[in-house]
């Protein structure tokens, strides 16, 4: 079945460092891909998405490119801030009616000043 | 504010007790979902609904029941709580065609079963 694999955390960075969180997927067909962010004590929020190969999703300085050849959707940010400290989830939609998003296990990011 | 509202936010149950978690959305979304979040496990789908009066099992449905009597509400029931059901529960909703829009999540219910 479809699945999502994320790099395990925690990821610890200093402010203004470059961030990469790896995400790879296994799916039949042409899934849509998402990154969600969960701040402490809150629910998940959609960060960005891409619905077809070579699409780049971006939001709040974060970017991810849908790479079908490597089945990847890595999250990047050029300069992280303390306020980016959160748990990040990669997710996949198989685009079949009546199916739900499949989430990775999440990667905790901690940014220190 | 528009969105997904979960009640209660916190609850402690004794083993064997029952309870119902309520999820309400005011966005006229067709689809609704219940997930549980456990350390190191990510989010796992319990049950979901593609419309009023319909429900379906997800990845980890055992020990839970759901109902969608009204489009805006999705209830998750635990008939006889067990310590293994200690978790944070999230409800989410989405439009038909969710692959383009993603989900809107509630803020979660933290349940402890002792």
């Amino acid at each position: 079945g479809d699945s999502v694999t994320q790099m395990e955390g925690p990821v610890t960075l200093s402010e203004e460092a470059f961030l990469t969180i790896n995400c790879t997927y296994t799916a039949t067909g042409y899934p849509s891909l998402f990154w969600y962010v969960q701040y402490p004590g809150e629910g998940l929020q959609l960060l960005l998405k891409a619905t077809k190969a070579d699409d780049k999703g971006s939001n709040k300085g974060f970017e991810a490119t849908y790479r079908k050849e490597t089945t990847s959707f890595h999250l990047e940010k050029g300069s992280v801030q303390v306020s980016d400290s959160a748990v990040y989830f990669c997710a996949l939609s198989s685009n079949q009616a009546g199916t739900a998003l499949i989430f990775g296990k999440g990667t905790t990011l901690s940014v220190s000043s | 504010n528009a969105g997904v509202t979960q009640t209660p936010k916190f609850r402690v149950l004794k083993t064997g007790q029952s309870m119902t978690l309520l999820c309400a959305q005011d966005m006229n979304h067709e689809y609704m979902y219940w997930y549980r979040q456990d350390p190191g496990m990510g989010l796992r789908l319990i049950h979901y609904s593609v419309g009023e009066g319909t429900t379906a099992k997800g990845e980890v449905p055992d020990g839970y029941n759901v109902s969608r009597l009204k489009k805006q509400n999705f209830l998750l029931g635990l008939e006889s709580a067990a310590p293994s059901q200690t978790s944070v529960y999230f409800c989410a909703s989405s439009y038909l065609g969710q692959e383009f829009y993603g989900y809107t999540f509630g803020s979660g219910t933290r349940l402890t079963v002792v």
Side-chain angles (χ1 to χ4, degrees):
Chain A
D2 296 353
S3 65
V4 174
T5 302
Q6 287 181 240
M7 63 184 289
E8 293 190 15
V11 174
T12 303
L13 296 173
S14 298
E15 205 165 25
E16 299 184 1
F18 184 85
L19 168 71
T20 300
I21 299 178
N22 291 338
C23 172
T24 57
Y25 67 90
T26 301
T28 55
Y30 302 94
S32 296
L33 301 171
F34 304 83
W35 277 101
Y36 281 81
V37 59
Q38 183 182 31
Y39 298 104
E42 298 183 10
L44 279 72
Q45 303 173 26
L46 179 63
L47 181 60
L48 53 84
K49 65 182 185 291
T51 58
K52 61 183 186 296
D54 299 326
D55 268 1
K56 177 185 283 188
S58 62
N59 186 24
K60 300 181 180 180
F62 290 90
E63 294 182 339
T65 301
Y66 187 166
R67 301 288 189 195
K68 187 168 176 60
E69 64 276 12
T70 55
T71 62
S72 64
F73 192 55
H74 304 322
L75 182 68
E76 297 182 336
K77 187 175 186 182
S79 176
V80 294
Q81 305 300 311
V82 172
S83 58
D84 293 326
S85 297
V87 181
Y88 293 81
F89 292 91
C90 186
L92 172 157
S93 167
S94 66
N95 295 340
Q96 296 177 17
T99 61
L101 285 184
I102 297 170
F103 287 87
K105 294 185 177 181
T107 302
T108 299
L109 171 65
S110 178
V111 181
S112 58
S113 58
Chain B
N1 290 335
V4 177
T5 302
Q6 292 183 234
T7 53
K9 296 189 182 304
F10 303 93
R11 185 73 184 269
V12 178
L13 284 180
K14 294 182 178 180
T15 298
Q17 286 185 319
S18 63
M19 77 164 294
T20 299
L21 283 67
L22 171 63
C23 177
Q25 54 93 4
D26 59 3
M27 297 169 286
N28 202 35
H29 283 172
E30 289 290 338
Y31 291 6
M32 297 187 75
Y33 315 84
W34 277 107
Y35 286 87
R36 60 178 289 174
Q37 183 180 25
D38 302 291
M41 302 296 289
L43 273 77
R44 293 181 293 170
L45 183 66
I46 304 171
H47 286 279
Y48 64 101
S49 169
V50 300
E52 183 178 319
T54 70
T55 63
K57 294 180 179 180
E59 179 185 359
V60 289
D62 294 342
Y64 305 95
N65 56 76
V66 289
S67 63
R68 184 100 180 267
L69 299 180
K70 294 183 179 180
K71 184 177 183 179
Q72 64 268 32
N73 295 336
F74 194 29
L75 279 62
L76 178 70
L78 287 73
E79 291 186 348
S80 179
S84 60
Q85 295 178 303
T86 294
S87 187
V88 181
Y89 291 86
F90 287 101
C91 177
S93 68
S94 68
Y95 288 110
L96 198 63
Q98 50 86 16
E99 63 272 14
F100 298 107
Y101 299 104
Y103 292 0
T104 301
F105 278 86
S107 58
T109 296
R110 184 173 296 275
L111 174 66
T112 302
V113 182
V114 298

